[in-house]
PDB file of all heavy atoms in Angstrom:
ATOM      1  N   THR A  18     -17.617  29.283 -26.057  1.00  0.00           N
ATOM      2  CA  THR A  18     -17.625  28.577 -27.441  1.00  0.00           C
ATOM      3  C   THR A  18     -18.672  29.391 -28.216  1.00  0.00           C
ATOM      4  O   THR A  18     -19.373  30.288 -27.736  1.00  0.00           O
ATOM      5  CB  THR A  18     -18.084  27.149 -27.388  1.00  0.00           C
ATOM      6  OG1 THR A  18     -19.603  27.060 -27.170  1.00  0.00           O
ATOM      7  CG2 THR A  18     -17.403  26.459 -26.222  1.00  0.00           C
ATOM      8  N   PRO A  25     -32.869  27.553 -21.812  1.00  0.00           N
ATOM      9  CA  PRO A  25     -33.451  28.869 -21.608  1.00  0.00           C
ATOM     10  C   PRO A  25     -32.632  29.723 -20.591  1.00  0.00           C
ATOM     11  O   PRO A  25     -32.802  30.988 -20.621  1.00  0.00           O
ATOM     12  CB  PRO A  25     -34.839  28.539 -21.065  1.00  0.00           C
ATOM     13  CG  PRO A  25     -35.187  27.192 -21.554  1.00  0.00           C
ATOM     14  CD  PRO A  25     -33.813  26.481 -21.645  1.00  0.00           C
ATOM     15  N   PRO A  34     -13.549  23.658 -17.702  1.00  0.00           N
ATOM     16  CA  PRO A  34     -12.141  23.772 -17.391  1.00  0.00           C
ATOM     17  C   PRO A  34     -11.501  22.349 -17.526  1.00  0.00           C
ATOM     18  O   PRO A  34     -12.111  21.343 -17.396  1.00  0.00           O
ATOM     19  CB  PRO A  34     -12.267  24.129 -15.872  1.00  0.00           C
ATOM     20  CG  PRO A  34     -13.585  23.787 -15.411  1.00  0.00           C
ATOM     21  CD  PRO A  34     -14.439  23.846 -16.518  1.00  0.00           C
ATOM     22  N   ALA A  46      10.483  15.278 -14.864  1.00  0.00           N
ATOM     23  CA  ALA A  46       9.019  15.324 -14.785  1.00  0.00           C
ATOM     24  C   ALA A  46       8.310  14.797 -15.938  1.00  0.00           C
ATOM     25  O   ALA A  46       8.912  14.725 -17.030  1.00  0.00           O
ATOM     26  CB  ALA A  46       8.570  16.737 -14.422  1.00  0.00           C
ATOM     27  N   GLU A  63       4.573  28.181 -19.395  1.00  0.00           N
ATOM     28  CA  GLU A  63       5.119  29.069 -18.391  1.00  0.00           C
ATOM     29  C   GLU A  63       5.052  28.375 -17.045  1.00  0.00           C
ATOM     30  O   GLU A  63       6.060  28.440 -16.212  1.00  0.00           O
ATOM     31  CB  GLU A  63       4.370  30.332 -18.429  1.00  0.00           C
ATOM     32  CG  GLU A  63       4.938  31.404 -17.478  1.00  0.00           C
ATOM     33  CD  GLU A  63       4.164  32.757 -17.630  1.00  0.00           C
ATOM     34  OE1 GLU A  63       3.416  32.873 -18.537  1.00  0.00           O
ATOM     35  OE2 GLU A  63       4.377  33.563 -16.738  1.00  0.00           O
ATOM     36  N   ALA A  66       7.613  25.480 -16.923  1.00  0.00           N
ATOM     37  CA  ALA A  66       8.987  25.963 -16.791  1.00  0.00           C
ATOM     38  C   ALA A  66       9.368  26.573 -15.410  1.00  0.00           C
ATOM     39  O   ALA A  66      10.477  26.391 -14.977  1.00  0.00           O
ATOM     40  CB  ALA A  66       9.113  27.026 -17.811  1.00  0.00           C
ATOM     41  N   GLY A  69      11.043  24.222 -12.805  1.00  0.00           N
ATOM     42  CA  GLY A  69      12.472  23.999 -12.940  1.00  0.00           C
ATOM     43  C   GLY A  69      12.907  22.457 -13.146  1.00  0.00           C
ATOM     44  O   GLY A  69      13.965  22.149 -12.746  1.00  0.00           O
ATOM     45  N   GLY A  82      -9.508  16.358 -28.549  1.00  0.00           N
ATOM     46  CA  GLY A  82      -8.514  17.338 -28.831  1.00  0.00           C
ATOM     47  C   GLY A  82      -8.333  18.362 -27.726  1.00  0.00           C
ATOM     48  O   GLY A  82      -7.137  18.990 -27.623  1.00  0.00           O
ATOM     49  N   ALA A 112      -8.237  10.761 -36.233  1.00  0.00           N
ATOM     50  CA  ALA A 112      -9.514  11.368 -36.737  1.00  0.00           C
ATOM     51  C   ALA A 112      -9.758  12.727 -36.179  1.00  0.00           C
ATOM     52  O   ALA A 112     -10.283  13.639 -36.807  1.00  0.00           O
ATOM     53  CB  ALA A 112     -10.672  10.480 -36.291  1.00  0.00           C
ATOM     54  N   ASP A 142       5.315   1.783 -26.113  1.00  0.00           N
ATOM     55  CA  ASP A 142       5.695   0.496 -26.121  1.00  0.00           C
ATOM     56  C   ASP A 142       5.480  -0.129 -24.704  1.00  0.00           C
ATOM     57  O   ASP A 142       6.232   0.169 -23.749  1.00  0.00           O
ATOM     58  CB  ASP A 142       7.164   0.239 -26.588  1.00  0.00           C
ATOM     59  CG  ASP A 142       7.483  -1.189 -26.769  1.00  0.00           C
ATOM     60  OD1 ASP A 142       6.685  -2.048 -26.824  1.00  0.00           O
ATOM     61  OD2 ASP A 142       8.797  -1.499 -26.830  1.00  0.00           O
ATOM     62  N   ILE A 146       5.690   4.212 -18.283  1.00  0.00           N
ATOM     63  CA  ILE A 146       6.626   5.322 -18.459  1.00  0.00           C
ATOM     64  C   ILE A 146       7.413   5.337 -17.114  1.00  0.00           C
ATOM     65  O   ILE A 146       6.851   5.348 -15.990  1.00  0.00           O
ATOM     66  CB  ILE A 146       5.978   6.558 -18.580  1.00  0.00           C
ATOM     67  CG1 ILE A 146       5.065   6.589 -19.812  1.00  0.00           C
ATOM     68  CG2 ILE A 146       6.899   7.856 -18.700  1.00  0.00           C
ATOM     69  CD1 ILE A 146       4.071   7.832 -19.996  1.00  0.00           C
ATOM     70  N   THR A 163     -15.650   9.127 -24.209  1.00  0.00           N
ATOM     71  CA  THR A 163     -15.458   8.812 -25.574  1.00  0.00           C
ATOM     72  C   THR A 163     -14.820   7.390 -25.594  1.00  0.00           C
ATOM     73  O   THR A 163     -14.630   6.898 -24.525  1.00  0.00           O
ATOM     74  CB  THR A 163     -14.531   9.828 -26.310  1.00  0.00           C
ATOM     75  OG1 THR A 163     -14.576   9.604 -27.704  1.00  0.00           O
ATOM     76  CG2 THR A 163     -13.135   9.704 -25.796  1.00  0.00           C
ATOM     77  N   VAL A 177      -4.161   8.480  -9.269  1.00  0.00           N
ATOM     78  CA  VAL A 177      -4.564   8.159 -10.627  1.00  0.00           C
ATOM     79  C   VAL A 177      -4.900   9.528 -11.349  1.00  0.00           C
ATOM     80  O   VAL A 177      -5.714  10.307 -10.797  1.00  0.00           O
ATOM     81  CB  VAL A 177      -5.842   7.183 -10.539  1.00  0.00           C
ATOM     82  CG1 VAL A 177      -6.428   7.163 -12.052  1.00  0.00           C
ATOM     83  CG2 VAL A 177      -5.538   5.882 -10.163  1.00  0.00           C
ATOM     84  N   VAL A 178      -4.198   9.731 -12.470  1.00  0.00           N
ATOM     85  CA  VAL A 178      -4.562  10.888 -13.333  1.00  0.00           C
ATOM     86  C   VAL A 178      -5.647  10.263 -14.228  1.00  0.00           C
ATOM     87  O   VAL A 178      -5.247   9.571 -15.208  1.00  0.00           O
ATOM     88  CB  VAL A 178      -3.454  11.456 -13.996  1.00  0.00           C
ATOM     89  CG1 VAL A 178      -3.823  12.618 -14.842  1.00  0.00           C
ATOM     90  CG2 VAL A 178      -2.263  11.796 -13.057  1.00  0.00           C
ATOM     91  N   ALA A 182     -12.285   9.979 -17.515  1.00  0.00           N
ATOM     92  CA  ALA A 182     -13.108   8.988 -16.852  1.00  0.00           C
ATOM     93  C   ALA A 182     -13.753   9.462 -15.601  1.00  0.00           C
ATOM     94  O   ALA A 182     -14.765   9.068 -15.119  1.00  0.00           O
ATOM     95  CB  ALA A 182     -12.104   7.755 -16.464  1.00  0.00           C
ATOM     96  N   GLU A 193     -21.563  11.514 -26.085  1.00  0.00           N
ATOM     97  CA  GLU A 193     -21.024  10.390 -26.884  1.00  0.00           C
ATOM     98  C   GLU A 193     -21.344   9.022 -26.107  1.00  0.00           C
ATOM     99  O   GLU A 193     -20.733   8.008 -26.455  1.00  0.00           O
ATOM    100  CB  GLU A 193     -19.509  10.367 -27.035  1.00  0.00           C
ATOM    101  CG  GLU A 193     -19.094  11.587 -27.951  1.00  0.00           C
ATOM    102  CD  GLU A 193     -17.574  11.596 -28.271  1.00  0.00           C
ATOM    103  OE1 GLU A 193     -16.912  10.554 -28.409  1.00  0.00           O
ATOM    104  OE2 GLU A 193     -17.043  12.702 -28.337  1.00  0.00           O
ATOM    105  N   ALA A 196     -26.910   4.531 -23.646  1.00  0.00           N
ATOM    106  CA  ALA A 196     -27.054   3.561 -22.457  1.00  0.00           C
ATOM    107  C   ALA A 196     -25.937   2.727 -22.291  1.00  0.00           C
ATOM    108  O   ALA A 196     -25.322   2.437 -21.342  1.00  0.00           O
ATOM    109  CB  ALA A 196     -28.342   2.873 -22.560  1.00  0.00           C
ATOM    110  N   ALA A 219      -9.177  14.690 -11.864  1.00  0.00           N
ATOM    111  CA  ALA A 219     -10.216  14.550 -12.890  1.00  0.00           C
ATOM    112  C   ALA A 219      -9.787  15.339 -14.059  1.00  0.00           C
ATOM    113  O   ALA A 219      -9.056  16.339 -14.042  1.00  0.00           O
ATOM    114  CB  ALA A 219     -11.537  15.109 -12.390  1.00  0.00           C
ATOM    115  N   ALA A 232     -14.224  11.660  -5.803  1.00  0.00           N
ATOM    116  CA  ALA A 232     -14.721  12.011  -7.315  1.00  0.00           C
ATOM    117  C   ALA A 232     -15.169  10.841  -8.019  1.00  0.00           C
ATOM    118  O   ALA A 232     -16.012  10.997  -8.898  1.00  0.00           O
ATOM    119  CB  ALA A 232     -13.565  12.822  -7.902  1.00  0.00           C
ATOM    120  N   PRO A 265     -27.204  21.587  -8.642  1.00  0.00           N
ATOM    121  CA  PRO A 265     -27.286  22.861  -9.072  1.00  0.00           C
ATOM    122  C   PRO A 265     -25.982  23.672  -9.053  1.00  0.00           C
ATOM    123  O   PRO A 265     -25.926  24.743  -9.717  1.00  0.00           O
ATOM    124  CB  PRO A 265     -28.205  23.512  -7.949  1.00  0.00           C
ATOM    125  CG  PRO A 265     -27.917  22.650  -6.828  1.00  0.00           C
ATOM    126  CD  PRO A 265     -27.641  21.291  -7.305  1.00  0.00           C
ATOM    127  N   ARG A 270     -23.231  24.077 -16.854  1.00  0.00           N
ATOM    128  CA  ARG A 270     -24.405  23.417 -17.214  1.00  0.00           C
ATOM    129  C   ARG A 270     -24.653  23.333 -18.698  1.00  0.00           C
ATOM    130  O   ARG A 270     -25.490  22.576 -19.154  1.00  0.00           O
ATOM    131  CB  ARG A 270     -25.527  24.149 -16.480  1.00  0.00           C
ATOM    132  CG  ARG A 270     -25.643  25.677 -16.692  1.00  0.00           C
ATOM    133  CD  ARG A 270     -26.860  26.249 -15.954  1.00  0.00           C
ATOM    134  NE  ARG A 270     -26.679  26.117 -14.523  1.00  0.00           N
ATOM    135  CZ  ARG A 270     -27.722  26.390 -13.770  1.00  0.00           C
ATOM    136  NH1 ARG A 270     -28.849  26.857 -14.127  1.00  0.00           N
ATOM    137  NH2 ARG A 270     -27.541  26.226 -12.329  1.00  0.00           N
TER     138      ARG A 270
END
Side-chain angles (χ1 to χ4, degrees):
T18 80
E63 182 177 351
D142 185 11
I146 300 170
T163 191
V177 169
V178 184
E193 292 182 38
R270 55 181 57 189

